[in-house]
Amino acid sequence: MKVGILGLGKMGLGSALKLQEKGHEVIGWNRGEEGRKKAALAGMAVSESLEALSRRLGDRAIYWISVSHEGVEEVLSALDSFLKEGDIIIDAGNSHFKKSIERYELYKKRGVNFVDAGVSGGPKGARLGACIMAGGDPEVVSFVSPLFESASVLEGFLYAGGPGAGHFVKMVHNGIEYGMMQAIGEGFEVLKKSQYNLDLTKVADLYQHGSVIESRLVGWLLSGFARYGENLDTISGAIKHSGEGMWTVETAHEENVPVPIIEGSLEYRIKSEEDPRFTGQVVSVMRNQFGGHDVFSKE
């Protein structure tokens, strides 16, 4: 299939190269020149403008937007005048599911199709195969499913349901992620403060060999220990939150579902700026390893 990738950062470029390797005709566009240059050096076709991209994609153009949810509206606004009836927009920016429903309704009135796609796996997943959950009209999602199947790992694509369902499932995924990471961080602070002078690297490695908590997250912690040292002296204990954990908590409240673990992990992140601890350092280094998130060194 022919597809335009809008956003050639750490996620977009990886997805674009993965799709290209799978035989799709990929044309990239990026707001900044640096992203376009990097994509061109990687062997991708690149358009300097959205107008040129629209011409190259032709009828029933497919636009795959791969920017953070904060930047989606800006890209959609820039794209607006080039959209034609029958075009398909895929928002892979992990937007709020209610905003995705709203956008779906607005574009439907214009004859433009809107698909929300939650993408998990970080930059490495984008490049090697991600986990993708999509929402929208079933026939439209079915039409673009070869793209999702090519960009995901084996059995890593799900049509989640109607408009907003993809971003809803991804939102809850991130809420669960908050709780899991918090538990690992707290556990390793208990280990660190214990009387036994434990080798945390060896403990993390042990947990990766047949234990019940063996996981990619513990594996990323192990990678973080290898890179920064197990004391994580250069890593800040202040943890940022992307918004999706908060959205999960807000939605749970609306549904009258208690989520003390997820809510507690969100509150910890909010308060971590004022009370940084080793727990926060552990969570920060895991976020860095799987998502390329900035690591804030202590002053």
Side-chain angles (χ1 to χ4, degrees):
M1 301 183 79
K2 185 186 290 188
V3 60
I5 304 291
L6 283 62
L8 298 171
K10 56 190 179 184
M11 293 294 290
L13 181 57
S15 296
L17 293 173
K18 175 71 172 173
L19 288 168
Q20 188 168 267
E21 285 178 358
K22 290 289 188 175
H24 299 281
E25 184 180 348
V26 180
I27 307 166
W29 173 84
N30 195 68
R31 288 171 288 184
E33 184 180 0
E34 184 179 347
R36 297 194 298 270
K37 283 183 176 179
K38 188 178 292 186
L41 286 172
M44 268 185 58
V46 176
S47 280
E48 296 297 315
S49 69
L50 286 174
E51 182 179 11
L53 177 63
S54 176
R55 287 198 303 267
R56 294 175 74 173
L57 292 176
D59 294 333
R60 205 174 197 192
I62 303 172
Y63 299 96
W64 177 308
I65 299 176
S66 188
V67 298
S68 64
H69 66 82
E70 298 95 339
V72 170
E73 193 62 44
E74 180 184 340
V75 174
L76 287 172
S77 295
L79 180 64
D80 193 72
S81 60
F82 307 111
L83 291 171
K84 308 177 299 298
E85 187 173 347
D87 285 353
I88 300 171
I89 298 169
I90 298 170
D91 175 10
N94 297 335
S95 301
H96 195 295
F97 76 97
K98 291 183 180 178
K99 189 66 178 178
S100 297
I101 296 170
E102 182 183 307
R103 287 168 175 157
Y104 166 88
E105 297 290 353
L106 287 171
Y107 283 114
K108 187 174 184 179
K109 293 175 183 177
R110 299 172 53 184
V112 174
N113 303 287
F114 186 87
V115 174
D116 53 282
V119 181
S120 178
K124 187 174 181 180
R127 183 66 187 89
L128 300 178
C131 175
I132 301 176
M133 46 226 86
D137 289 334
E139 63 274 12
V140 178
V141 176
S142 178
F143 179 75
V144 297
S145 63
L147 295 174
F148 293 139
E149 289 165 356
S150 293
S152 62
V153 296
L154 183 65
E155 299 184 353
F157 162 59
L158 172 72
Y159 171 59
H167 284 162
F168 181 81
V169 174
K170 177 57 166 64
M171 177 191 76
V172 176
H173 161 282
N174 279 36
I176 293 169
E177 175 190 298
Y178 272 43
M180 292 173 69
M181 293 174 72
Q182 184 70 19
I184 293 169
E186 291 174 3
F188 271 84
E189 181 163 358
V190 173
L191 292 167
K192 182 176 176 62
K193 299 290 178 64
S194 80
Q195 62 182 306
Y196 294 108
N197 192 28
L198 295 163
D199 185 321
L200 299 185
T201 301
K202 288 183 178 178
V203 173
D205 183 62
L206 175 71
Y207 287 165
Q208 286 299 87
H209 289 82
S211 85
V212 172
I213 64 167
E214 181 179 357
S215 63
R216 298 180 77 188
L217 287 170
V218 174
W220 280 314
L221 174 58
L222 197 53
S223 297
F225 283 157
R227 181 172 181 180
Y228 299 108
E230 68 178 44
N231 288 324
L232 303 178
D233 292 322
T234 62
I235 307 301
S236 173
I239 321 163
K240 284 199 169 184
H241 62 94
S242 63
E244 288 159 285
M246 182 176 292
W247 299 344
T248 304
V249 171
E250 291 170 348
T251 302
H253 288 172
E254 291 170 6
E255 297 175 345
N256 197 29
V257 176
V259 285
I261 304 301
I262 298 173
E263 190 163 10
S265 63
L266 172 64
E267 290 173 355
Y268 183 95
R269 291 191 182 200
I270 294 169
K271 294 176 181 177
S272 66
E273 188 74 40
E274 299 174 357
D275 184 26
R277 302 182 59 91
F278 189 69
T279 293
Q281 292 172 279
V282 170
V283 174
S284 290
V285 82
M286 283 188 286
R287 292 182 78 243
N288 170 260
Q289 291 299 293
F290 74 72
H293 299 287
D294 290 334
V295 174
F296 301 98
S297 298
K298 290 189 281 189
E299 296 180 359

